[in-house]
Amino acid sequence: MAKQGLKLRFKSYELQLKHRFTLAGSSRTTTPGVLVEVEYDGVVGYGEASMPPYLGENHESVEKFLSLLNMEQFNDPFQTEAILAYVDFVALGNCAAKASVDIALYDLVGKLKGLPCHQIWELDPSKTPDTSFTIGIDDEKTVRQKVKEAAQFKMLKVKLGRSNDLEMIKTIRSETNVPLSVDVNQGWTDKQLALDKIYWLQEQGVVFVEQPMPKKVMDDMAWLTENSPLPTFADEAVQRLTDVPRLKGVYSGINIKLMKCTGLAEARQMIELARLLDMKVLLGCTTETSCAVSAAAQLSPLADFADLDGNLLITNDPFEGMQVTDGKIVLNDWPGIGVKLI
Ligand code: MG
């Protein structure tokens, strides 16, 4: 009897954040998500869409997009390229929704082969980087508390871009000497002031600066990168593969996130292209469960830096997967993206 096609199931989910999360432009305590399953021949692959407000997707848009998909037409889950090309062409945008299918499909393929994705891609699991842990903008007492909770991490990512940049760094430096990265979330508008701050940050042990200026600013940003003593990374300014070439010379590197770029397949292409262009790679995430974080971690041996802490920021993670030991990403040898439902 011929095997049936792929089955797709999904349900909306609300990620509960441990701490109110404050960035240069927003503040929240929950993040909407959608949990996805792709099943073939009794084997289930898990995926997830996570939708922080700045990406413009929500429960309704993701459910609507997933409802449009006819996955039953595919009888061979190993045709990942054809399946994901179909998913991408069903509608524009919807990047997190597309990522949820991509992640579930790679999880399924790995399980059918009995191999972890990093092994299928011939990546060395010992080459995983440390991951940073994110400290959001907050009052001094809360920042101190968060830094204490993050004692096992070898790098902290500090959110800047409001009016208390210096206080944030000074507070953190009074608690720890680990290297820092900073994420300004487009919060600085004057290039000379930005450069002055970067020189000061370098003295404070900061190793790179993420999205210092608004994403549409190109000339001033190129000037800043050229003069900056620290590498600069695009985050809001980069979404998909086609964005990468025009950022050469404007930023030193790119922050790749599965929810922005439609998933693992395109993330791998972006890493390859960044290398060709001699740009650095930061592998990031949004607030998400261990599902999407573990999927991204499969690619982490290819990254210069990783910021895969999204699962650690929530209290209702339905999965176990990638672990962080002594600050370093540790991949397990479970097949697929390396997750189990708790
Ligand atoms: Mg960022």
Side-chain angles (χ1 to χ4, degrees), residues 107 116-117 290 294-295 298 320-322 332-340:
D107 191 38
C117 290
S290 287
S294 302
Q298 299 293 318
E320 65 173 303
M322 173 206 113
N332 57 50
D333 56 6
W334 304 341
I337 60 171
V339 295
K340 289 178 181 168

Side-chain angles (χ1 to χ4, degrees), residues 248-311:
K248 166 74 181 165
V250 182
Y251 296 87
S252 319
I254 54 172
N255 185 347
I256 300 173
K257 297 177 181 172
L258 300 184
M259 296 304 146
K260 289 194 299 184
C261 78
T262 72
L264 292 160
E266 188 149 327
R268 287 177 71 204
Q269 292 177 296
M270 291 173 79
I271 293 171
E272 220 167 278
L273 182 54
R275 293 312 182 196
L276 282 171
L277 296 171
D278 197 25
M279 294 178 79
K280 293 182 191 302
V281 171
L282 163 63
L283 202 53
C285 63
T286 61
T287 42
E288 52 204 31
T289 77
S290 287
C291 179
V293 167
S294 302
Q298 299 293 318
L299 291 174
S300 68
L302 295 170
D304 298 299
F305 298 103
D307 179 34
L308 296 178
D309 62 350
N311 57 327

Side-chain angles (χ1 to χ4, degrees), residues 46-59:
Y46 297 114
E48 166 188 20
S50 171
M51 298 90 74
Y54 70 92
L55 289 177
E57 294 179 70
N58 52 50
H59 280 149

